[in-house]
Amino acid sequence: MKKHILCIEDEAAIRAMIRFSLEREGYAVMEAPDARAARDLAANQLPDLMLVDWMLPDLSGPELIRRFRRDPLTRDIPIIMLTAKSEEDDMIHGLDAGADDYLVKPVSLKALSARIKALLRRTDGFDEQRIINAGRLQLNQDAHQLRIDGTPVHVGTTEYRLLEFFMQHPEKVYSRAQLLDFVWGQNTYIEERTVDVHVLRLRKTLKTYATEHVIQTVRGAGYLFSAAETTGE
């Protein structure tokens, strides 16, 4: 079955170029020139992945992504942000809004294809029918669901994958470069700073349940997952 990709971009020429390239690779592509059309299309046909331009005529890309993340129907759909903004702060702002990846214009169609394949592999790979328990955390890989003390907790697609890797490899330090290879894939080209952004977002979610300590920073080395309970001084 074809994967459906929703391309949200106000420039018709860019939409046509992306559509032509992706359809040649076997994807079904839907086009939206603005946020309103995107929401209507997503309501009629839930996409497997979305490409979102930063500058839309009726709503900014980051704000549209936030709205998609608040909607139970679309909150787990992988999203790649497309933008002419190349500064690190802009990248962090886009990822913080809920994007799973970030591509700077002019978009390389080869890079776009690689990012799409990597994200779709990760979402397909959740279906492993296995449960991982680590202290107060339980990860149901079949249902793509995190529970803390039995309570369902929503995490984004990339944060889920990152937590899944940590829980599969506890008590071992991984550098940012290693996490990029193992979680994002060796053929993706993402700055190491991206790891910090997603770790920060994951910790923010866990902090609500007083479990942020499970992801520890090892100065000069990377990150480590440990479900062992800590004691206050």
Side-chain angles (χ1 to χ4, degrees), residues 25-92:
E25 296 191 33
Y27 298 107
V29 180
M30 302 179 288
E31 297 181 39
D34 54 42
R36 173 177 239 172
R39 291 195 298 268
D40 290 342
L41 283 171
N44 291 326
Q45 168 67 62
L46 207 61
D48 295 290
L49 182 143
M50 291 187 280
L51 308 174
V52 180
D53 181 35
W54 186 297
M55 300 293 289
L56 295 171
D58 54 347
L59 195 68
S60 74
E63 180 56 32
L64 176 60
I65 291 173
R66 289 189 189 95
R67 295 188 186 189
F68 278 135
R69 292 300 184 224
R70 289 196 294 264
D71 186 334
L73 290 176
T74 57
R75 66 185 184 186
D76 293 323
I77 295 175
I79 296 175
I80 298 175
M81 174 158 277
L82 309 178
T83 176
K85 296 176 179 289
S86 59
E87 297 296 322
E88 183 181 36
D89 286 347
D90 295 320
M91 179 193 74
I92 293 170

Side-chain angles (χ1 to χ4, degrees), residues 122-177:
R122 280 157 41 195
T123 52
D124 289 343
F126 290 142
D127 220 10
E128 297 178 13
Q129 300 185 7
R130 193 166 45 138
I131 290 177
I132 306 173
N133 290 294
R136 295 166 55 198
L137 279 64
Q138 181 187 79
L139 204 65
N140 184 324
Q141 294 171 291
D142 184 42
H144 183 195
Q145 184 179 73
L146 168 66
R147 287 179 179 268
I148 300 178
D149 296 332
T151 301
V153 178
H154 169 68
V155 290
T157 302
T158 301
E159 286 72 43
Y160 174 92
R161 182 61 176 156
L162 186 61
L163 180 60
E164 180 185 48
F165 178 81
F166 277 136
M167 291 177 68
Q168 288 174 322
H169 305 87
E171 309 296 342
K172 183 175 179 181
V173 178
Y174 287 92
S175 68
R176 292 168 178 81

